[in-house]
């Protein structure tokens, strides 16, 4: 006989149970059948796998090596079997979800917890992109579902007809600066010509092929680009620039005095957030998330609380 998964399972059971008899009970086989299988395997490999002296079956060094590596194969085979069963039942092996930086990851945790209780076995893979980078991830096939994508997406997405979108809503943004920032003493509402003189802190667009997107930046304004909203908040708390922040994020710092809210003559252009996915997708995992994301309470929690 050649080395088979069945032979590895017998080897594993004998090691775990400590005897051929114990393994036979665990595998619902007779001990003689297991002994025959192991002897055949030893003959085929031309190695001794068990030291049969004494009362307990003890693996030889060669047997230990075979079992150690064989257990990796057993786990891989079990995982493959489960993936095949999940696909057959309509559950995806993996769902790739891209979030825009406006969605704090801790807001997603209740959704993950609820999904885990479904027991589907689908692996969830989350990553972050910003502005056009979110749409790019969907168009390029790197994402199955995007949450928080800015505005309605590029024209190429709508022309293809291969994607669907659902509005998520819009966050309230406020202009915030540190107390020692020069604009803190300026009269309100701040004109754009004055704000333009000072460096803005902005989360950089991560898109590489689609036209870049900006929000709330003034033409010619010096800019400090940072990788996330948390980094933007930290930079503004440190007085390294000015800019708009979600009110829910800035509110605690307004209360403590670490930031000051300033009124501006021109409000930040409203950026509506979208949920988007491929029209052809039919998996149960995607459908589960779309059903939950359509709930107004869930949408509110993602953007406002």
């Amino acid at each position: 006989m050649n080395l088979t998964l069945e032979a590895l399972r017998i080897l594993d059971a004998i090691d775990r149970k400590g005897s051929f008899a114990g393994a036979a009970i665990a595998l619902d086989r007779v001990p003689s059948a297991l002994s025959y299988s192991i002897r055949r395997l030893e003959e085929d490999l031309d190695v001794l796998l068990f030291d049969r002296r004494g009362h307990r079956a003890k693996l030889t060094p060669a047997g230990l090596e075979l079992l150690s590596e064989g257990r990796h194969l057993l786990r891989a085979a079990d995982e493959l079997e489960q993936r095949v069963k999940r696909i057959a039942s309509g559950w995806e092996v993996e769902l790739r979800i891209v979030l825009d930086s406006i969605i704090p990851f801790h807001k997603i945790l209740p959704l993950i917890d609820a999904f885990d209780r479904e027991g589907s076995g689908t692996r969830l893979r989350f990553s972050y992109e910003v502005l056009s980078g979110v749409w790019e991830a969907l168009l390029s096939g790197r994402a199955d579902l995007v949450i928080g994508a800015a505005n309605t997406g590029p024209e190429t997405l709508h022309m293809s007809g291969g994607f669907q979108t659902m509005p998520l809503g819009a966050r309230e943004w406020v202009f915030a600066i540190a107390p020692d920032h020069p604009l803190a003493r300026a009269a309100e509402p701040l004109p754009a010509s004055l704000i333009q003189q000072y460096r803005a802190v902005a989360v950089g667009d991560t898109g590489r092929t689609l036209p870049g997107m900006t929000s709330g930046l003034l033409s010619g304004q010096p800019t400090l680009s940072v990788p996330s909203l948390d980094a933007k908040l930290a930079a503004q708390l440190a007085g390294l620039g000015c800019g708009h922040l979600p009110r829910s994020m800035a509110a605690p710092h307004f209360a403590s005095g670490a930031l000051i809210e300033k009124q501006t003559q021109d409000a930040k252009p409203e950026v509506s957030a979208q949920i988007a996915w491929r029209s052809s997708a039919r998996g149960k995992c995607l459908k589960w998330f779309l059903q939950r994301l359509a709930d107004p309470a869930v949408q509110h929690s993602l953007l406002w609380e």
Side-chain angles (χ1 to χ4, degrees):
M1 64 182 287
N2 295 320
L3 181 61
T4 63
L5 291 176
E6 178 64 18
L8 290 174
R9 288 194 175 92
I10 293 172
L11 196 66
D12 173 65
I14 295 170
D15 180 66
R16 287 187 292 104
K17 298 301 180 180
S19 67
F20 282 74
I25 294 173
L27 298 175
D28 196 23
R29 304 273 293 277
V30 296
S32 58
L34 269 57
S35 296
Y36 175 77
S37 296
I38 293 299
R39 288 193 181 279
R40 283 287 309 277
L41 181 59
E42 288 177 323
E43 291 173 2
D44 288 348
L45 297 178
D46 195 24
V47 296
L48 191 64
L49 299 176
F50 281 98
D51 183 349
R52 292 170 174 78
R53 296 171 297 181
H55 297 290
R56 180 181 173 88
K58 183 179 179 182
L59 285 165
T60 63
L64 285 170
E65 179 65 16
L66 177 60
L67 179 58
S68 176
E69 294 301 315
R71 279 173 171 159
H72 295 307
L73 296 176
L74 290 175
R75 284 193 293 270
D78 289 341
E79 290 173 3
L80 176 59
E81 181 180 345
Q82 292 304 314
R83 287 200 298 271
V84 170
K85 289 180 178 178
R86 286 198 297 270
I87 292 173
S89 64
W91 290 100
E92 302 92 324
V93 173
E94 178 179 81
L95 188 72
R96 300 163 299 169
I97 303 174
V98 168
L99 308 174
D100 187 86
S101 63
I102 66 166
I103 307 293
F105 193 72
H106 72 269
K107 301 290 187 70
I108 296 292
L109 298 180
L111 281 174
I112 298 175
D113 182 56
F115 179 72
D116 284 348
R117 291 196 289 274
E118 295 291 321
S120 72
T122 299
R123 180 172 57 247
L124 302 178
R125 185 183 297 275
F126 287 90
S127 60
Y128 270 102
E129 297 287 348
V130 181
L131 296 173
S132 71
V134 180
W135 292 111
E136 193 173 290
L138 186 64
L139 285 166
S140 66
R142 291 186 290 108
D144 304 306
L145 170 68
V146 300
I147 304 174
N151 296 322
T152 58
E155 190 63 27
T156 52
L157 180 137
H158 300 288
M159 291 178 62
S160 72
F163 302 91
Q164 291 183 258
T165 62
M166 174 171 62
L168 178 60
R171 300 186 84 173
E172 181 185 5
W173 295 79
V174 293
F175 192 81
I177 53 176
D180 58 354
H181 191 280
L183 288 175
R185 298 182 296 275
E188 300 177 84
L190 303 178
S193 58
L194 178 60
I195 297 172
Q196 187 182 33
Q197 300 174 29
Y198 297 94
R199 183 169 66 178
V201 182
V203 183
D205 190 316
T206 58
R208 292 174 174 80
T209 59
L210 294 176
M213 301 170 64
T214 62
S215 178
L217 293 178
L218 299 171
S219 178
Q221 186 177 20
T223 305
L224 171 65
S225 293
V226 295
S228 67
L229 265 180
D230 286 338
K232 175 175 165 64
L233 172 63
Q236 291 183 216
L237 284 168
L240 299 178
C242 60
H244 291 84
L245 291 167
R247 179 173 291 281
S248 58
M249 175 180 277
H253 304 287
F254 290 154
S256 69
L259 287 176
I260 295 174
E261 179 180 357
K262 299 289 283 188
Q263 300 300 316
T264 62
Q265 287 184 357
D266 300 317
K268 173 183 168 70
E270 183 173 290
V271 178
S272 59
Q274 304 289 325
I275 299 161
W277 64 98
R278 287 187 190 81
S279 303
S280 60
R282 296 289 185 269
K284 289 183 178 179
C285 180
L286 176 62
K287 290 179 180 178
W288 186 95
F289 271 92
L290 291 176
Q291 182 179 23
R292 292 301 180 97
L293 291 168
D295 185 339
V298 172
Q299 295 180 358
H300 187 273
S301 70
L302 291 178
L303 292 176
W304 290 88
E305 292 181 359

